[in-house]
Amino acid sequence: MVLKEREGNVLLLTLNRPERLNALTGELLEALHEALEEAGADPGVRALLLTGAGRAFSAGQDLGEFGEEKPDYEAHLRRYNRVVEAMSALEKPLVVAVNGPAAGAGMSLALWGDLRVAATGASFTTAFVNIGLVPDSGMSFLLPRLVGLAKAQELLLLSPRLSAEEALALGLVHKVVPGERLMEEALALARRLAEGPTRAYGLTKKLLLETYRLSLPEALGLEAILQGQAGRTADHEEGVRAFREKRPPRFQGR
Ligand code: LHQ
């Protein structure tokens, strides 16, 4: 369901139901959650890369999963929320390589990447209203923060299918590359991040999430607390030493 490959300090995770456009099932979400938790606890993993097998990134919830036995969606969403919480709480950078269509909760998962690279043929559609549902998997939280309220209203109420270039113009992705170069580019980015100051990345992610709901004095206070933590890392010492010695830093992720 989820392929795991290690490349040095980078963990590559691949959603692997290509025959169903990597549509999300309870089983796949469990596997993804487990992989994220494992990666979070493994000091050898310093960056992650998430992509989809085959021609899609993910079509969102597998609409064929439930049949007649449709579960209560509120309960079912706990599986999604565990994944989103694991992605957002991951104290390591997560690159997402959007290789094809990303729809519904599949688009939400793509957006939870800290850096998002798309193939030219990729597309994004919120899809929820098409089947009479509300945004989930953090989409209602993240989308207005990424693109602003007005654009989020449009994307959620009308569900247009955005091309990779349109997604780039909106800031939904950071870079668009030809499909055949997607994994090479995304891996290069993940490798670069895997050589960086892991603790500072983790704390930066935390700040960017937390400060949205804080007042300015609270945000300044949290910055000071987390800067205190970053200031006690070996990587900070190494960064300053390397700067003084006019050489590139050798960060250890500590
Ligand atoms: C699919 C799917 C799919 C099954 C394409 N499932 N088969 C959370 C909790 C609780 C409840 C519900 O929801 C959620 C969160 C959500 O994610 S809700 C949103 C669910 N996703 C969608 O509504 C997306 C539906 N799919 C699409 O909009 C398109 O298929 C996309 C944009 C993903 C891809 O478009 P195309 O590249 O044009 O492919 P296609 O539409 O021709 O689909 C290919 C096949 O895949 C087709 O089957 P077939 O047997 O005709 O070849 C589709 O039926 C199947 N498929 N999405 N989510």
Side-chain angles (χ1 to χ4, degrees), residues 6-12 44-49 93-95 115 181-198 201 251:
R6 267 294 277 279
E7 240 241 24
N9 293 124
V10 175
L11 178 68
L12 169 63
V45 174
R46 289 176 60 193
L48 286 85
L49 173 54
L94 169 65
V95 177
L115 289 174
R181 286 209 358 250
L182 177 69
M183 290 315 287
E184 182 191 320
E185 293 262 351
L187 250 176
L189 196 55
R191 280 196 206 103
R192 174 180 158 182
L193 292 166
E195 289 179 0
T198 316
Y201 290 147
F251 294 122

Side-chain angles (χ1 to χ4, degrees), residues 70-179:
K70 187 162 77 72
D72 175 52
Y73 284 171
E74 183 176 347
H76 182 62
L77 271 175
R78 278 195 217 115
R79 293 199 169 99
Y80 281 87
N81 292 351
R82 268 155 50 100
V83 169
V84 168
E85 278 157 13
M87 287 170 109
S88 59
L90 196 65
E91 293 176 343
K92 324 185 167 186
L94 169 65
V95 177
V96 171
V98 188
N99 52 304
M107 175 169 166
S108 307
L109 295 190
L111 297 185
W112 279 104
D114 301 305
L115 289 174
R116 303 168 294 277
V117 185
T120 37
S123 65
F124 296 80
T125 180
T126 59
F128 299 99
V129 291
N130 296 345
I131 53 169
L133 291 179
V134 302
D136 65 26
S137 310
M139 178 79 85
S140 67
F141 177 94
L142 202 47
L143 195 60
R145 287 167 165 84
L146 289 172
V147 300
L149 184 57
K151 209 64 196 178
Q153 287 165 322
E154 186 185 322
L155 300 187
L156 290 171
L157 297 179
L158 301 177
S159 187
R161 192 160 167 180
L162 301 176
S163 66
E165 286 73 18
E166 287 169 323
L168 179 68
L170 284 177
L172 286 178
V173 297
H174 299 92
K175 195 170 183 183
V176 176
V177 299

Side-chain angles (χ1 to χ4, degrees), residues 181-219:
R181 286 209 358 250
L182 177 69
M183 290 315 287
E184 182 191 320
E185 293 262 351
L187 250 176
L189 196 55
R191 280 196 206 103
R192 174 180 158 182
L193 292 166
E195 289 179 0
T198 316
R199 298 278 311 282
Y201 290 147
L203 295 171
T204 301
K205 284 180 68 164
K206 190 169 177 170
L207 272 174
L208 291 179
L209 262 187
E210 292 288 318
T211 49
Y212 273 112
R213 61 177 186 84
L214 299 180
S215 65
L216 177 60
E218 289 167 333

